[in-house]
């Protein structure tokens, strides 16, 4: 077999479909978020504004986070030294897990190197703990949840997105007495819509199921202390396992689950994805702890972020651009064509100094390609004006459809 030719063929197909992913070389500047330096392929450098980052609140630049990381780095060095059971558990990891458990009102928490690994490791381990387990999963769950369920090799059923009537139909077909986990998200990050948490919890109670929620795009962003949508809606106590991240609103790195002490102990003891992975560096754990602690006591940044998101949606809707507005902090602008979506992204970067990545298949279904904006608390009115004007110009140049504007 000509392996090189086969690789060329596969990569060419991505280019032909407009789905080839280009990683641009940017350099974030401390104290200048959301601005960054773009090192272009031609060797030149220029300042750009990042509009698609998942550091939703700019906590990756926060003085308290940086100070905690510097202190831990100077005290302990760079790495953790091993897996959690081989010298990789430090006071910093334990402090972080206590902070997370308190955030969600749970007995315990367990930290992983990413939320992807936390989802994969936990969902693939649950069938080992509960023989005969059936996992019922929302059709738009994140790839990490899908992979975890697949790796668990248990019976699974998919319910239509946010369709609790369909979920009920599935639950009614499962043999009474079998263990069940309902897996879903609080915010689906590509559309920015919310999961029906209360309705799912009600069904879980009725059918004796455990609830597993991914709060990755909500922790730090919603709730009185940043505990996510489940905290905002006073439902966290009804969720059995909460998955979250320190890499988005908290601005650092790592993922976790929060649950009962027995559930956490079981996952800790049986999940290969936890047992055999080197733990987070202590400096990263320290920074995450400082970030969570700060956002528990200060809602200013998330309130400012919500305001900026509302303003951006209103401005783009005013231009007739196709916006999905479900009331969350995510602003998806639908393009519906992978080539034009990539072209818009390239033109925004090259001509306007605006960086937003195109979101194409397989992240979203074909025909729903989009630009996904994530305004932060420090995207100023001037930066917002520049973005709105650029989108207006390019939408016209690319001859894309607009909604009819009311008089």
């Amino acid at each position: 077999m000509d392996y090189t030719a086969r690789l060329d063929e596969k990569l060419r197909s991505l280019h032909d479909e407009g789905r080839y992913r280009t990683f641009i070389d940017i350099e974030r500047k401390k104290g200048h978020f959301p601005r960054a330096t773009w090192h272009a392929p031609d060797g030149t450098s220029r300042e750009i504004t990042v509009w698609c980052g998942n550091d939703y609140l700019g906590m990756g630049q926060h003085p308290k986070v940086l100070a905690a990381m510097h202190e831990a780095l100077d005290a302990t060095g760079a790495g953790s030294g091993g897996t959690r059971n081989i010298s990789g558990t430090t006071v910093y990891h334990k402090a972080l897990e206590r902070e997370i458990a308190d955030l969600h009102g749970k007995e315990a928490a367990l930290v992983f190197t990413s939320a992807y690994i936390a989802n994969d490791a936990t969902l693939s381990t649950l069938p080992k703990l509960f023989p005969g387990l059936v996992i019922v999963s929302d059709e738009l769950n994140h790839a990490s949840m899908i992979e975890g369920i697949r790796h668990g090799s248990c019976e699974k059923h998919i319910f239509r997105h946010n369709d609790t009537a369909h979920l009920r139909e599935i639950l009614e077909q499962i043999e009474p007495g079998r263990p069940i986990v309902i897996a879903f998200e609080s915010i689906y990050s590509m559309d920015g819509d919310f999961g029906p948490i209360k309705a799912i919890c009600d069904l879980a109670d009725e059918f004796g199921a455990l609830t597993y929620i991914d709060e990755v795009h909500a922790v730090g962003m919603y709730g009185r202390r940043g505990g996510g949508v489940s905290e905002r809606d006073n439902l966290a106590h009804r969720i059995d396992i909460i998955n979250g991240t320190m890499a988005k609103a908290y601005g650092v790195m790592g993922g976790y689950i929060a649950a009962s002490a027995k559930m956490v102990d079981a996952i800790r003891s049986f999940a290969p994805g936890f047992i055999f992975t080197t733990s987070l560096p202590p400096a990263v754990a320290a920074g995450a702890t400082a970030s969570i602690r700060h956002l528990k006591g200060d809602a200013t940044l998330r309130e400012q972020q919500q305001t900026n998101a509302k303003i951006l949606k209103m401005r783009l809707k005013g231009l007739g651009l196709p916006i999905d507005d479900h009331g969350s902090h995510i602003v998806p602008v639908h393009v519906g064509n992978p080539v034009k979506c990539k072209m818009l992204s390239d033109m925004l970067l090259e001509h306007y100094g605006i960086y937003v990545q195109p979101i194409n298949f397989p992240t979203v279904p074909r025909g729903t390609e989009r630009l996904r904006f994530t305004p932060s608390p420090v995207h100023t009115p001037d930066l917002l004006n520049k973005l709105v004007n650029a989108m207006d110009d390019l939408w016209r140049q690319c001859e894309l459809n607009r909604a009819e504007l009311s008089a």
Side-chain angles (χ1 to χ4, degrees):
M1 181 177 187
D2 187 337
Y3 294 101
T4 300
R6 180 61 176 166
L7 293 174
D8 286 339
E9 177 188 340
K10 297 297 288 184
L11 291 170
R12 191 182 309 114
S13 69
L14 290 179
H15 283 285
D16 292 343
E17 294 178 39
R19 294 197 296 117
Y20 183 78
R21 297 172 187 245
T22 302
F23 302 146
I24 77 165
D25 185 359
I26 66 171
E27 183 181 357
R28 284 161 50 112
K29 297 290 186 181
K30 186 179 74 171
H32 294 279
F33 179 81
R35 297 184 182 276
T37 299
W38 172 39
H39 300 290
D42 63 4
T44 62
S45 298
R46 59 179 292 194
E47 185 179 86
I48 61 170
T49 303
V50 178
W51 275 97
C52 60
N54 283 339
D55 185 358
Y56 291 136
L57 303 178
M59 289 300 293
Q61 309 275 311
H62 198 281
K64 288 183 180 178
V65 174
L66 300 183
M69 294 185 75
H70 279 295
E71 181 181 342
L73 181 66
D74 292 340
T76 68
S80 67
T83 63
R84 287 291 295 273
N85 62 313
I86 303 178
S87 81
T89 296
T90 71
V91 294
Y92 299 96
H93 297 88
K94 300 301 286 185
L96 175 56
E97 287 170 343
R98 286 194 298 271
E99 203 71 44
I100 292 167
D102 173 75
L103 173 68
H104 293 293
K106 299 298 183 186
E107 292 178 339
L110 192 65
V111 169
F112 296 77
T113 51
S114 73
Y116 188 110
I117 298 299
N119 270 332
D120 190 351
T122 303
L123 286 166
S124 63
T125 299
L126 289 174
K128 302 175 186 176
L129 304 176
F130 304 105
L133 179 69
V134 180
I135 298 182
V136 188
S137 173
D138 188 287
E139 67 176 334
L140 293 189
N141 278 342
H142 190 266
S144 59
M145 300 175 76
I146 295 169
E147 286 299 297
I149 295 167
R150 181 180 295 130
H151 293 157
S153 300
C154 67
E155 182 179 331
K156 65 179 179 182
H157 298 276
I158 310 300
F159 65 95
R160 290 186 293 271
H161 178 53
N162 281 350
D163 187 339
T164 53
H166 188 217
L167 173 58
R168 170 178 285 278
E169 290 176 14
I170 293 171
L171 293 171
E172 287 174 341
Q173 299 303 312
I174 298 172
E175 181 183 351
R178 290 189 66 181
I180 303 169
V181 168
I182 304 173
F184 63 107
E185 299 186 33
S186 64
I187 295 180
Y188 292 84
S189 63
M190 291 300 108
D191 289 317
D193 58 329
F194 294 91
I197 302 175
K198 182 180 184 301
I200 290 176
C201 287
D202 289 344
L203 286 171
D205 289 346
E206 181 178 346
F207 289 91
L210 296 174
T211 48
Y212 184 106
I213 193 170
D214 180 310
E215 286 261 34
V216 160
H217 290 273
V219 290
M221 304 293 294
Y222 298 85
R224 183 176 60 85
R225 301 194 306 158
V229 181
S230 59
E231 183 200 26
R232 183 198 70 180
D233 296 347
N234 297 313
L235 294 168
H237 64 287
R238 301 184 64 186
I239 302 294
D240 294 293
I241 304 174
I242 297 176
N243 168 275
T245 186
M246 287 85 75
K248 292 181 170 58
Y250 294 121
V252 193
M253 180 186 173
Y256 62 83
I257 60 165
S260 69
K262 279 188 170 56
M263 181 68 76
V264 167
D265 192 20
I267 299 299
R268 179 191 70 85
S269 301
F270 286 93
F274 175 81
I275 296 169
F276 298 106
T277 300
T278 298
S279 65
L280 287 175
V284 172
T289 301
S291 184
I292 294 170
R293 189 172 294 150
H294 174 78
L295 289 176
K296 280 181 181 178
D298 188 348
T300 303
L301 289 175
R302 53 179 165 267
E303 290 169 357
Q304 291 174 344
Q305 197 279 340
Q306 290 286 340
T307 298
N308 278 357
K310 290 176 183 176
I311 292 171
L312 178 58
K313 289 176 185 177
M314 179 183 66
R315 296 279 307 273
L316 294 177
K317 284 181 189 176
L319 297 175
L321 270 59
I323 305 292
D324 270 347
D325 186 0
H326 297 281
S328 74
H329 61 284
I330 294 166
V331 186
V333 180
H334 284 260
V335 179
N337 178 291
V339 175
K340 287 191 174 183
C341 195
K342 178 68 166 61
M343 181 172 63
L344 279 169
S345 172
D346 290 344
M347 294 172 74
L348 283 167
L349 181 64
E350 294 168 8
H351 303 309
Y352 297 89
I354 291 169
Y355 174 40
V356 56
Q357 276 284 58
I359 308 295
N360 293 335
F361 179 83
T363 307
V364 296
R366 286 186 173 91
T368 69
E369 293 81 8
R370 68 203 64 181
L371 299 175
R372 176 182 175 274
F373 296 94
T374 53
S376 77
V378 291
H379 279 93
T380 64
D382 180 58
L383 293 176
L384 194 146
N385 284 335
K386 289 178 180 177
L387 171 62
V388 171
N389 291 335
M391 289 292 287
D392 190 21
D393 290 344
L394 292 181
W395 217 256
R396 185 182 305 109
Q397 290 180 39
C398 295
E399 299 180 338
L400 293 166
N401 291 332
R402 301 184 192 237
E404 291 187 12
L405 302 181
S406 57

